Amino acid sequence: MRIRHPTFARRRGFTLVEILMVVIILGIASAVVIPNLGTHDDLNVAAAARVIVADLVFAQNKAIVTQSLIYVNCDTGNQKYSLLSASPAITPTAYLTNPLNQKNYVTQFGASGAPQTRTVALQTVSADGKTCLAFDELGQPYSWDAGTNTATLLVNPATIPVTCGAFTLTIYVEPYTGSLSIQ
């Protein structure tokens, strides 16, 4: 009588080809993912756009509550905008008070801005060709002309583009309704 020894299952390892395929796939995945980990430009520009929209909503609401024109004066040369209670041509320092920090309502971008907006740039603002918006007692948007010191009801959507690196978002202020959107 012969005793049979149990046969051990043959252990198999990975072949060289399988290991190379995994290394190649990981290399391709890391080449795509790692460059995007270092940049937060998309998040920075989205945050800046949300800040601008919040400030525009504040200006609209302030105009409705005070039953007066509230101005949003954009200065792309100095990378900032300010919220004013009087015409920038007559009283350029009639800043609203920011309820968060109790200072002048000025939002600065670029190198002198807050840490989260230092890499964000305010691009060419256009409110029917002007760089200043105003909101009336109904929250309707106007373009304001510094030369003639007059506010004209918007005919076309006002655009406020902001960029950070390769990413750009544009805030739109719709005529008549003052509805705000980001695209």
Side-chain angles (χ1 to χ4, degrees), residues 10-33:
R10 196 173 212 193
R11 289 190 180 180
R12 277 190 48 135
F14 293 106
T15 65
L16 182 60
V17 172
E18 292 170 330
I19 292 172
L20 285 175
M21 290 303 290
V22 169
V23 169
I24 289 172
I25 291 171
L26 288 175
I28 292 171
S30 66
V32 171
V33 172

Side-chain angles (χ1 to χ4, degrees), residues 80-86 91-98 103-106:
K80 67 180 181 179
Y81 65 88
S82 52
L83 275 56
L84 304 161
S85 60
T91 315
T93 57
Y95 298 109
L96 294 179
T97 301
N98 188 324
K103 294 181 180 177
N104 290 340
Y105 215 126
V106 177

Side-chain angles (χ1 to χ4, degrees), residues 14-167:
F14 293 106
T15 65
L16 182 60
V17 172
E18 292 170 330
I19 292 172
L20 285 175
M21 290 303 290
V22 169
V23 169
I24 289 172
I25 291 171
L26 288 175
I28 292 171
S30 66
V32 171
V33 172
I34 288 174
N36 291 331
L37 292 177
T39 175
H40 297 289
D41 291 347
D42 57 338
L43 299 176
N44 289 341
V45 76
R50 286 192 302 272
V51 166
I52 294 169
V53 167
D55 290 347
L56 291 173
V57 168
F58 179 80
Q60 260 182 323
N61 290 333
K62 189 74 168 178
I64 293 168
V65 168
T66 60
Q67 292 291 291
S68 62
L69 282 177
I70 298 295
Y71 301 87
V72 181
N73 191 26
C74 299
D75 182 359
T76 56
N78 292 317
Q79 289 296 296
K80 67 180 181 179
Y81 65 88
S82 52
L83 275 56
L84 304 161
S85 60
S87 164
I90 296 171
T91 315
T93 57
Y95 298 109
L96 294 179
T97 301
N98 188 324
L100 297 176
N101 59 18
Q102 299 302 311
K103 294 181 180 177
N104 290 340
Y105 215 126
V106 177
T107 302
Q108 182 74 48
F109 294 96
S112 353
Q116 63 271 21
T117 61
R118 285 192 181 135
T119 58
V120 178
L122 189 61
Q123 299 300 312
T124 305
V125 175
S126 177
D128 286 341
K130 311 296 185 269
T131 60
C132 185
L133 280 168
F135 293 100
D136 70 2
E137 64 277 354
L138 298 175
Q140 289 182 311
Y142 288 75
S143 63
W144 181 81
D145 186 354
T148 61
N149 195 27
T150 57
T152 308
L153 197 58
L154 274 182
V155 176
N156 300 303
T159 57
I160 305 170
V162 287
T163 62
C164 186
F167 296 95

